[in-house]
Amino acid sequence: MALDESEPVLLRTEGRAGYITLNRPRALNALTHPMVRTVDAALAAWEQDPAVEVVVIAGAGERGLCAGGDIRAIHADALAGGSASVAFWRDEYRLNARIARYSKPYVAVMDGIVMGGGVGVSAHGDVRIVTERSAVAMPETGIGFVPDVGGTHLLAQAPGELGTHLALTGSAVGAADALLCGLADHFVPSRRLAELTASLAVLDVSETVRRYAAAAPEGELAPHREWIDHSYAADTVEEILARLLDCGDPAAKEAAETILTRSPTSLKVTLAAMRRARALGELEPVLDQEFRVSSAAFSSPDLIEGVRAQVIDKDRRPRWSPAELSEVTEADVARFFAPLGERELGLGLAG
């Protein structure tokens, strides 16, 4: 495994495959803007290279593919009143769209922690592989942010209201539940990953998957579909919480208690974003929407406070503003979806 982090993205080709390794293992391979640009440039070049027939992305070390964007850098940028984070998101979301529309098989090794931006560089791919160590999540509501990188699109496509449950709670799921929610395609034991990725240099993707895929260990969500689908079908976060608390299932009560620790503004904006994403259908207009939401969140107090509480000071006691769901108005939510004019991402128009 790579220990030298002087090159945060490692690129190589072997046989018919191009390999991308996110190489910041000490930071759980968190994405920076230069990393996004490097991956995007490699994909653009390999798409035109007939010798490269498949692309494989993985993370250095054994802790995970990618824990998301570098939120310490985003926190510092927001405190300074900068604009680097918005520029980062612009290029990151364009990369997510490129991955989803890539003309060659894109294989994502979703081993270990795969969260936020890590989902963006993996779950839009053609072949998404999880292991017994996988922990897949969009945990943004816990830091005063809103699921992005196409996460609201992916979660809106999940069966029933599973995606809404994951979006609001920010809970991580293992292999079987990632498969159930449509965030992954195949389970492969982690001990066989090295063989699998090496085989892609000589074998086609379908043959490789047949050789290494196995049945995933049992998941946790399927037995709870009834209360999940009923509770999260409600029109407001307040009603969702009421249904969760009324249904009598300890797991539903636990979900409600988790939601109550999240940013009230983020919760209401996330629910609205999920409903809108489901109606939009296609990825590109959803990414446009997410860019508007992220841009608004960047100038909101909860993002700075959430990262402070969870990552900087680690006191786990965020002081949200507003502090209560009842204090977040429809106008507060609508502000996150306001058009950006010349600053729009514009992927939907390009599509």
Side-chain angles (χ1 to χ4, degrees):
M1 293 295 176
L3 294 177
D4 181 0
E5 297 185 32
S6 59
E7 292 293 335
V9 179
L10 305 177
L11 303 172
R12 67 182 178 91
T13 58
E14 182 177 338
R16 62 194 299 276
Y19 294 93
I20 300 169
T21 304
L22 305 180
N23 186 41
R24 295 181 68 210
R26 293 177 183 87
L28 275 171
N29 302 316
L31 291 172
T32 63
H33 202 164
M35 291 170 71
V36 165
R37 288 173 172 155
T38 299
V39 173
D40 190 69
L43 291 179
W46 286 343
E47 196 160 27
Q48 303 303 316
D49 185 348
V52 176
E53 298 179 43
V54 60
V55 172
V56 185
I57 189 167
E62 297 185 351
R63 296 169 65 199
L65 169 65
C66 174
D70 189 337
I71 57 175
R72 286 180 176 269
I74 293 170
H75 180 265
D77 187 34
L79 275 177
S83 59
S85 299
V86 176
F88 164 66
W89 289 325
R90 183 180 295 276
D91 286 343
E92 184 183 25
Y93 300 175
R94 290 184 176 276
L95 172 61
N96 303 147
R98 182 189 291 278
I99 291 168
R101 303 294 182 230
Y102 205 59
S103 63
K104 298 179 178 182
Y106 182 96
V107 179
V109 180
M110 301 171 70
D111 185 35
I113 292 173
V114 185
M115 296 185 178
V119 173
V121 297
S122 59
H124 297 297
D126 304 289
V127 180
R128 304 160 302 173
I129 294 165
V130 284
T131 75
E132 76 283 356
R133 302 188 297 203
S134 294
V136 184
M138 297 298 296
E140 286 77 9
T141 57
I143 58 165
F145 198 49
V146 178
D148 66 336
V149 298
T152 59
H153 170 77
L154 292 164
L155 294 177
Q157 307 302 313
E161 294 294 339
L162 289 172
T164 311
H165 170 65
L166 296 183
L168 294 182
T169 62
S171 299
V173 295
D177 290 329
L179 294 166
L180 172 64
C181 293
L183 300 172
D185 303 299
H186 305 285
F187 172 82
V188 174
S190 59
R191 60 183 172 78
R192 305 205 71 188
L193 288 179
E195 299 171 53
L196 177 145
T197 54
S199 294
L200 288 166
V202 293
L203 301 176
D204 67 31
V205 173
S206 59
E207 184 174 350
T208 300
V209 167
R210 282 197 301 271
R211 181 171 295 190
Y212 294 101
E218 189 174 350
E220 299 177 6
L221 290 179
H224 300 295
R225 281 292 304 278
E226 184 174 353
W227 65 257
I228 287 174
D229 289 350
H230 171 70
S231 299
Y232 291 97
D235 291 332
T236 67
V237 178
E238 290 93 334
E239 178 60 24
I240 287 171
L241 285 166
R243 292 187 184 187
L244 289 171
L245 293 169
D246 285 347
C247 82
D249 190 302
K253 182 175 184 289
E254 183 179 343
E257 290 171 348
T258 297
I259 290 170
L260 286 168
T261 68
R262 306 316 196 197
S263 157
T265 301
S266 294
L267 289 170
K268 288 201 170 184
V269 174
T270 294
L271 182 61
M274 288 288 294
R275 299 292 192 254
R276 290 172 180 233
R278 188 175 292 169
L280 286 169
E282 295 295 324
L283 173 64
E284 285 84 356
V286 174
L287 285 167
D288 288 345
Q289 172 177 278
E290 290 180 348
F291 186 71
R292 295 181 199 112
V293 170
S294 297
S295 298
F298 184 66
S299 61
S300 300
D302 278 3
L303 177 59
I304 292 175
E305 174 61 12
V307 177
R308 180 208 65 76
Q310 300 297 337
V311 179
I312 307 299
D313 297 339
K314 297 183 180 178
D315 60 25
R316 306 292 193 267
R317 297 175 67 180
R319 295 179 291 274
W320 304 122
S321 179
E324 302 293 336
L325 284 165
S326 60
E327 298 173 334
V328 182
T329 67
E330 290 184 10
D332 292 333
V333 174
R335 182 180 68 83
F336 285 78
F337 299 91
L340 298 175
E342 294 182 353
R343 296 182 292 116
E344 287 281 2
L345 185 62
L347 283 172
L349 291 174

